[in-house]
Amino acid sequence: MFHLQNLELVHWDYCQRVSLPLDASIITIAGPNGSGKTTLLDAMRTLLGLKCSQPRDYKTYARHAGAQVAWLRAVVDNKPHTRQTSSRPFARQLLYSDQVTLACRIERNGGDWQRRYMVVEGDVSIEQLTERTDKELRTMGVEAWARVLSDAGLSPAIAKVLSLEQGQTDRLCEYSPRELLRLVFDVFGDQEVLNAYDTARDHQSQLTREMQQAEKELDHSKAQLAELQNKVTLYKQWQHRVQERERLATEVIPVLEWHTKRQKLAQNSRELHRDRLRLAAHKAERAEQNAQLLALLKARTQAEADEQRLLAERDASAVQRDQTRDMERPLEALNKREAELLALVDKESDAESLHAHLQDLQTRMQDAQARRSVVLDKKTQADNALQALDGQRTPPHPPEARTLRQRLQAQNIGHRFVAEVVDVHNEHWRAAVEGVLRPLRWVVLLDKPGDVAAADALASELRYRHYIVEPGEALPKADPQSLLAQVRVDGKLPRWLAQQLNNLRCVDSPRDGRQLAGNWITAEAYTFDGRGARSVWVEPRDHQLGAAALQSQRDALENDVRRLDAQLGPLTQALMDLKRQIKDCEQALAGHSAAQELAKRAEEFADARQAWPAAKQARIAASMHWQKLDTAYVQAKSHYQVADSQYRQQEQSLRQKNQEADRQAAEMLLRRQQLTAEVDASQHRKQQIPPGWRTPEALQGLMDKYDNERQAKLRLDSVEAELQLDTWEKDATVEERYRRMEATVREQTFSLQDHQVKNAQAATAVLNARESYIEVLRSTVRRYRSNIQELGSLAGVEVSADLPALENEDSVLAQAGLKVNFNFDGKGSIGLNDGEASGGQQVIKSLILLVGLLKDEESASGGFVFIDEPFAHLDVRNIQLVGHFLRSTQAQYVLTTPITHNLEVFEPAEITLVTSKKPRDSRWAPPIAVAKRRGQPVLVPV
């Protein structure tokens, strides 16, 4: 390896132009911190194509100078390595002089800095280099420059060592055994063997890559073959779909349409026959119902005649009753008058008793007036209520319902009450329906679901006690025995209400109801709901459902009026009697004599006493006869209403059935005509279908596959939709391309097999080359062990190294390492980086390992080393040890050290370069002082 003899810097950092001698074994660069010591080392590193100390780089130094071009030039020796060989470091560059000039030109190019390297024979100045062209100088980049220096002995491993940062001199001793072994072989290894091993590995890698490429190509071809196979499959499927579409459109669907219509015609014919039979049965049923209707008509006529006869008899009896009452009243009045006068006669002689009797009569008159006023008020209310029903179609609503309706109508909220929707269909069950629906008849049924919130707000404000529900649903089919079947509903009801009515079974008596499992009710409104049985009877005056309820209320009010009239007559007569008695008392007190009137009218009173019992008996008999006729009339009227209701229901039902029968007969005639036309069309279509397509076997096969015409059409639609997709392959040449690709895959398979054979042969060659490499590696380790042991003896350190276990396997070689142990002062063996060595021992260990890399087989010195501050943090004794070791190795060292009071750091140096800080007001740094040790040789000859 070459040595540095001279270094020249131009426009490097703050150095305008500096030329420094380096022709010594140990050169020390001294100066205060920040004076440029590392700057000089980075200049040498940049000249050798190495990285500067982090975070600096060559651009930083070139930029500081402020010039367009910066130069780094060094003169190095080019003498043979040993006396036994004539090989010069730069012989491969055809340079055979003893000195060679290495130069680096750094110039600004487009705003950035660019390095160009050159090597020329002899000691050539920068001016001479400037006069030559790049072509003459054969300038090169950093990568080519690294190859040139590597050929001269500056291997990448040594370059890595030379790039150590400041304060990391002991870095080599921190290497792992595997890293150290790799570094040793990179420096000492036989290049030819290494090249042969690398060539064999590269050849095997190339063959492996080619085999992998062949595998990829084969896989790609197989993928293409699979893709073509899929395309062939899609092409065949497309052809099959086209053929299927053609068959479906021309054969399957027409045949199935004809067959389906044929079956439908047969089914329609059978249904038409069944309908004719059903129509005949319904005709017989209607004849029977006509007979029942005639019987009901007769019964209704008889009931109507009975009602009219009893009404006439009752009216005649009422006339007779009134006549007897008119005959009785004068006689009764005379008898009462006689009794009053007799009672007054006894009191005429006693004025005090007469006054007491007058007061008693007046009290009784007041009581009679009060009772008559109560009855009269009730009668007035009944008359008003009866008058209010005039012109009404339905019973009036209660006040709370009327108030809520007004508020709902004001906000345009459509609604109806349950009482307006439900009517009784069968009057026999009116009491049951009225009783069940009494708590629910003012439930509000809204027309729109969106009105619920507004209706709730109004009902909450009015404290309405009945439900507000959303629009109901269509009624379910009513059970004929349920209460739902006994009502008519003009609209929709909530599901729960319809279900409640449909779950109530109508029974004749509670005994019959107890035998059922569910809920039941009788016509008298006695019901059972699972919790028990109770009566929900509602008085007729409180009926609310339908027009019949209005009549019930009217009848009840009329009865009330008649009853109150009957009560009002006796009360009025008693009041008149009391007034007459009071008048008599008042006259008696005024001097009138009751005895005189008795004497005067004695004959009249005697005739009245004699005739009154007979007249009274006649009136009682007439009243009883009228009461009997009235009861019979009411029963006859009820019987007539029931008979009339049954007749009307039967008549309406029969009328609907007759209309339905007429409609069915017309439809049947139309269906018969249409069926005949369709049969003729089917026969004509049959003649157009080939006989082979309509055989029983062919038809059964189509039915088994497609089931019916609709499924065949759906299949045709599906096929049409599939054919419209872009995923089909329609190119007929795809089958030929598939056959060609299949042949290509076979050829590539054979080629891959050939590559596999060659790769196996290359693996054998790599195995042999690896064996040679292992032998060279063993010899290299032995030589390096010898070097470091020799260097250790010079430094007074016992050094030992364990040879690594090497096998012919890449994984073992990758894990192999060189373990080195040191023994300082007989204190025991320590390893590379076990933490037991002192600072100076760490430096000596690293220097031994480092300089051992620079010694050749003859143990002569070689190469140079940059060490930045090797004496940092060392005491005097360790500085002496390190200095002694540096002198004994006879290698070239470039050391840096700060200005310190410890002069021992300068003791090993033959040349000392002293740097100074740049003054604040100066552009360039001061010149570098050079101190040579007197009497010492500059550089030990190689």
Side-chain angles (χ1 to χ4, degrees):
M1 182 178 174
F2 59 89
H3 292 89
L4 300 174
Q5 294 182 350
N6 185 274
L7 176 66
E8 186 175 6
L9 312 177
V10 177
H11 295 156
W12 177 258
D13 198 51
Y14 295 108
C15 298
Q16 185 175 12
R17 185 160 188 168
V18 176
S19 181
L20 302 174
L22 299 177
D23 52 345
S25 297
I26 301 176
I27 300 97
T28 299
I29 303 174
N33 293 333
S35 62
K37 301 187 294 300
T38 305
T39 301
L40 293 179
L41 291 184
D42 285 342
M44 299 178 193
R45 291 189 179 106
T46 302
L47 181 60
L48 297 176
L50 307 177
K51 293 182 178 180
C52 296
S53 302
Q54 293 295 332
R56 310 177 189 181
D57 61 3
Y58 73 94
K59 299 178 183 179
T60 304
Y61 294 116
R63 188 168 54 251
H64 286 171
Q68 294 297 321
V69 180
W71 282 89
L72 303 175
R73 187 185 73 91
V75 178
V76 301
D77 70 312
N78 190 31
K79 296 178 181 180
H81 291 177
T82 63
R83 297 183 180 89
Q84 289 75 19
T85 179
S86 61
S87 176
R88 296 176 182 270
F90 293 95
R92 291 192 179 185
Q93 307 300 323
L94 303 179
L95 302 177
Y96 299 103
S97 63
D98 289 344
Q99 287 184 328
V100 170
T101 298
L102 308 180
C104 174
R105 184 182 68 214
I106 305 172
E107 59 184 349
R108 188 186 297 272
N109 185 8
D112 198 4
W113 295 92
Q114 184 179 13
R115 291 180 292 180
R116 301 300 295 174
Y117 291 93
M118 58 206 76
V119 54
V120 295
E121 193 169 12
D123 186 355
V124 182
S125 67
I126 293 176
E127 287 76 11
Q128 293 173 335
L129 293 174
T130 305
E131 293 174 355
R132 300 183 186 181
T133 63
D134 288 351
K135 186 176 182 180
E136 292 175 345
L137 294 174
R138 293 184 296 178
T139 60
M140 63 193 77
V142 65
E143 295 181 357
W145 184 246
R147 290 193 294 269
V148 170
L149 296 184
S150 178
D151 293 338
L154 185 62
S155 66
I158 295 179
K160 182 179 179 181
V161 175
L162 294 178
S163 299
L164 289 176
E165 296 289 335
Q166 181 178 0
Q168 294 186 354
T169 307
D170 57 349
R171 183 67 181 273
L172 279 181
C173 68
E174 297 179 1
Y175 276 26
S176 67
R178 186 170 60 181
E179 292 174 336
L180 182 59
L181 179 61
R182 188 66 51 84
L183 178 63
V184 169
F185 189 80
D186 289 343
V187 176
F188 288 115
D190 188 339
Q191 193 66 34
E192 293 182 0
V193 175
L194 180 60
N195 292 340
Y197 178 44
D198 290 340
T199 301
R201 285 196 304 175
D202 293 342
H203 180 62
Q204 185 190 18
S205 299
Q206 179 65 26
L207 290 177
T208 302
R209 288 193 295 271
E210 292 178 357
M211 183 180 67
Q212 293 174 349
Q213 182 64 26
E215 290 177 349
K216 290 181 180 179
E217 292 177 356
L218 179 59
D219 292 340
H220 180 66
S221 297
K222 286 182 178 180
Q224 289 182 327
L225 182 64
E227 183 179 359
L228 287 174
Q229 186 176 8
N230 291 335
K231 290 184 177 181
V232 170
T233 303
L234 289 174
Y235 176 70
K236 292 181 178 179
Q237 291 178 351
W238 176 73
Q239 286 183 322
H240 176 71
R241 294 293 190 280
V242 171
Q243 295 171 359
E244 185 180 5
R245 178 181 63 180
E246 184 71 18
R247 182 169 180 266
L248 283 169
T250 58
E251 176 185 350
V252 175
I253 293 179
V255 172
L256 286 177
E257 284 180 348
W258 169 79
H259 182 62
T260 302
K261 289 182 179 179
R262 191 84 173 177
Q263 289 181 329
K264 189 174 182 181
L265 289 175
Q267 181 180 359
N268 290 342
S269 179
R270 291 191 295 270
E271 290 180 355
L272 186 62
H273 179 68
R274 287 196 295 268
D275 290 343
R276 284 200 302 268
L277 296 178
R278 190 180 303 111
L279 191 60
H282 289 172
K283 186 176 180 180
E285 182 180 353
R286 289 198 307 277
E288 182 180 354
Q289 290 179 350
N290 278 326
Q292 294 177 357
L293 181 63
L294 183 59
L296 289 175
L297 178 60
K298 293 179 180 179
R300 189 189 72 162
T301 303
Q302 182 64 39
E304 184 178 11
D306 292 343
E307 179 191 6
Q308 295 299 328
R309 177 179 57 79
L310 289 172
L311 178 61
E313 292 179 358
R314 189 194 68 169
D315 292 341
S317 177
V319 173
Q320 185 179 1
R321 181 199 59 189
D322 294 339
Q323 291 176 353
T324 57
R325 181 181 296 115
D326 293 340
M327 292 175 62
E328 180 192 11
R329 282 177 180 173
L331 298 176
E332 183 180 6
L334 289 173
N335 282 286
K336 287 184 178 181
R337 180 61 181 168
E338 183 182 12
E340 293 172 357
L341 293 174
L342 291 175
L344 188 60
V345 169
D346 295 336
K347 299 179 175 60
E348 285 181 342
S349 58
D350 188 356
E352 183 178 355
S353 176
L354 188 60
H355 278 288
H357 182 61
L358 177 61
Q359 291 178 357
D360 179 59
L361 290 176
Q362 289 176 345
T363 302
R364 288 166 56 191
M365 184 186 70
Q366 292 176 357
D367 182 60
Q369 286 178 342
R371 285 187 283 114
R372 182 177 179 278
S373 296
V374 172
V375 175
L376 188 60
D377 290 341
K378 290 182 179 180
K379 181 178 182 300
T380 302
Q381 293 176 0
D383 290 337
N384 293 337
L386 186 61
Q387 186 178 1
L389 295 180
D390 292 341
Q392 298 287 338
R393 295 183 179 181
T394 57
H397 299 344
E400 64 271 16
R402 291 197 300 270
T403 302
L404 179 64
R405 166 155 289 179
Q406 292 174 358
R407 298 290 296 275
L408 292 175
Q409 289 176 346
Q411 295 192 15
N412 295 323
I413 298 177
H415 66 283
R416 298 178 73 183
F417 294 108
V418 170
E420 297 174 334
V421 174
V422 179
D423 192 4
V424 179
H425 175 64
N426 190 347
E427 289 295 329
H428 179 68
W429 293 96
R430 172 171 289 278
V433 175
E434 292 280 359
V436 170
L437 294 181
R438 180 177 184 179
L440 302 173
R441 55 195 180 190
W442 303 117
V443 170
V444 179
L445 307 176
L446 298 177
D447 293 344
K448 299 178 182 178
D451 295 335
V452 172
D456 286 341
L458 291 176
S460 176
E461 179 183 352
L462 297 176
R463 297 184 179 179
Y464 191 68
R465 303 180 61 84
H466 302 280
Y467 294 115
I468 307 292
V469 299
E470 296 182 1
E473 300 178 358
L475 290 180
K477 185 177 181 180
D479 186 346
Q481 302 300 323
S482 68
L483 192 61
L484 183 62
Q486 315 304 327
V487 300
R488 287 191 301 269
V489 180
D490 182 19
K492 297 180 179 179
L493 291 179
R495 179 186 300 178
W496 56 269
L497 180 54
Q499 192 67 33
Q500 178 182 353
L501 297 177
N502 205 22
N503 290 339
L504 270 175
R505 298 291 301 274
C506 297
V507 296
D508 295 334
S509 65
R511 178 178 298 177
D512 295 338
R514 291 291 184 177
Q515 296 177 359
L516 300 177
N519 301 340
W520 49 265
I521 192 169
T522 65
E524 290 76 21
Y526 191 75
T527 183
F528 176 81
D529 60 1
R531 295 172 294 181
R534 64 181 181 131
S535 175
V536 291
W537 173 265
V538 179
E539 293 294 334
R541 70 176 65 254
D542 293 330
H543 288 182
Q544 197 71 37
L545 304 178
L550 179 64
Q551 185 60 41
S552 297
Q553 289 192 8
R554 184 178 286 112
D555 293 342
L557 290 173
E558 290 176 351
N559 291 333
D560 290 343
V561 170
R562 287 194 296 269
R563 178 175 55 79
L564 292 173
D565 284 340
Q567 295 178 2
L568 192 59
L571 289 174
T572 302
Q573 185 63 41
L575 183 61
M576 292 175 62
D577 293 342
L578 289 173
K579 287 182 178 181
R580 188 175 54 253
Q581 293 179 26
I582 291 173
K583 183 178 180 181
D584 290 342
C585 287
E586 291 176 349
Q587 291 178 354
L589 291 173
H592 177 72
S593 173
Q596 293 177 358
E597 186 176 354
L598 282 175
K600 183 179 179 180
R601 302 177 61 183
E603 184 177 356
E604 182 182 0
F605 289 151
D607 293 339
R609 282 196 307 273
Q610 183 178 3
W612 183 46
K616 183 178 181 180
Q617 187 65 34
R619 191 263 304 169
I620 294 174
S623 297
M624 293 178 63
H625 182 64
W626 177 87
Q627 185 68 33
K628 181 178 179 182
L629 290 176
D630 183 68
T631 302
Y633 167 73
V634 172
Q635 293 177 353
K637 181 179 179 181
S638 176
H639 182 64
Y640 168 73
Q641 289 177 348
V642 172
D644 182 67
S645 176
Q646 292 176 352
Y647 173 77
R648 292 180 183 278
Q649 292 176 6
Q650 184 73 6
E651 182 184 28
Q652 183 180 3
S653 174
L654 188 58
R655 184 183 299 110
Q656 292 176 352
K657 289 183 178 179
N658 288 332
Q659 293 174 354
E660 181 68 18
D662 294 340
R663 185 186 61 80
Q664 290 179 355
E667 288 181 357
M668 190 175 298
L669 178 60
L670 182 61
R671 288 167 55 193
R672 183 178 182 84
Q673 294 173 353
Q674 184 178 0
L675 182 61
T676 303
E678 291 177 351
V679 169
D680 294 340
S682 177
Q683 289 297 114
H684 178 70
R685 180 60 178 159
K686 178 180 179 181
Q687 301 303 322
Q688 297 176 347
I689 298 175
W693 291 3
R694 50 185 170 83
T695 61
E697 295 78 10
L699 290 174
Q700 186 62 39
L702 293 178
M703 295 295 292
D704 292 341
K705 185 174 182 179
Y706 297 103
D707 193 26
N708 54 41
E709 166 202 354
R710 176 176 176 78
Q711 295 300 324
K713 288 182 178 179
L714 291 176
R715 178 56 185 167
L716 178 60
D717 294 340
S718 176
V719 172
E720 288 284 0
E722 291 177 1
L723 289 175
Q724 294 299 323
L725 299 177
D726 295 334
T727 57
W728 296 111
E729 180 61 45
K730 303 177 182 179
D731 187 2
T733 64
V734 69
E735 295 179 328
E736 179 62 27
R737 286 189 285 140
Y738 174 73
R739 287 191 290 270
R740 290 200 301 269
M741 181 55 67
E742 194 175 21
T744 301
V745 169
R746 285 197 298 270
E747 294 176 359
Q748 290 180 346
T749 302
F750 296 149
S751 176
L752 177 62
Q753 293 174 353
D754 182 60
H755 278 86
Q756 290 173 343
V757 171
K758 292 181 180 179
N759 188 60
Q761 295 173 352
T764 303
V766 170
L767 181 65
N768 297 331
R770 191 186 299 116
E771 290 179 351
S772 300
Y773 168 73
I774 291 173
E775 291 300 325
V776 173
L777 184 60
R778 287 195 178 100
S779 64
T780 299
V781 172
R782 293 191 189 98
R783 184 174 63 181
Y784 183 69
R785 182 177 61 176
S786 176
N787 289 346
I788 60 178
Q789 286 176 347
E790 181 180 352
L791 293 171
S793 64
L794 293 176
V797 180
E798 183 180 349
V799 181
S800 63
D802 298 334
L803 296 179
L806 303 176
E807 296 181 7
N808 195 347
E809 187 176 347
D810 287 338
S811 60
V812 176
L813 293 178
Q815 298 297 327
L818 178 61
K819 297 181 179 180
V820 181
N821 296 311
F822 302 87
N823 190 340
F824 290 88
D825 302 329
K827 294 182 179 180
S829 178
I830 59 177
L832 287 175
N833 190 27
D834 52 9
E836 297 184 3
S838 64
Q841 292 173 347
Q842 285 287 92
V843 174
I844 292 176
K845 285 163 59 177
S846 296
L847 291 175
I848 290 174
L849 297 175
L850 176 62
V851 177
L853 298 174
L854 306 178
K855 292 173 64 64
D856 59 11
E857 295 179 356
E858 287 76 19
S859 300
S861 64
F864 52 86
V865 181
F866 303 150
I867 306 179
D868 202 352
E869 299 186 3
F871 304 112
H873 312 296
L874 299 183
D875 58 11
V876 175
R877 174 58 181 163
N878 283 321
I879 291 174
Q880 292 175 351
L881 290 175
V882 173
H884 173 72
F885 175 78
L886 295 177
R887 286 194 302 270
S888 64
T889 57
Q890 298 182 355
Q892 186 179 25
Y893 297 94
V894 179
L895 311 177
T896 63
T897 181
I899 297 298
T900 176
H901 63 279
N902 190 348
L903 300 180
E904 295 295 333
V905 299
F906 302 105
E907 193 274 334
E910 297 175 6
I911 295 178
T912 301
L913 306 178
V914 182
T915 61
S916 302
K917 289 187 176 181
K918 182 180 78 67
R920 184 183 301 273
D921 55 353
S922 176
R923 178 182 177 186
W924 305 107
I928 298 176
V930 180
K932 284 190 177 182
R933 186 176 297 276
R934 186 177 299 174
Q936 293 291 339
V938 175
L939 186 64
V940 178
V942 179

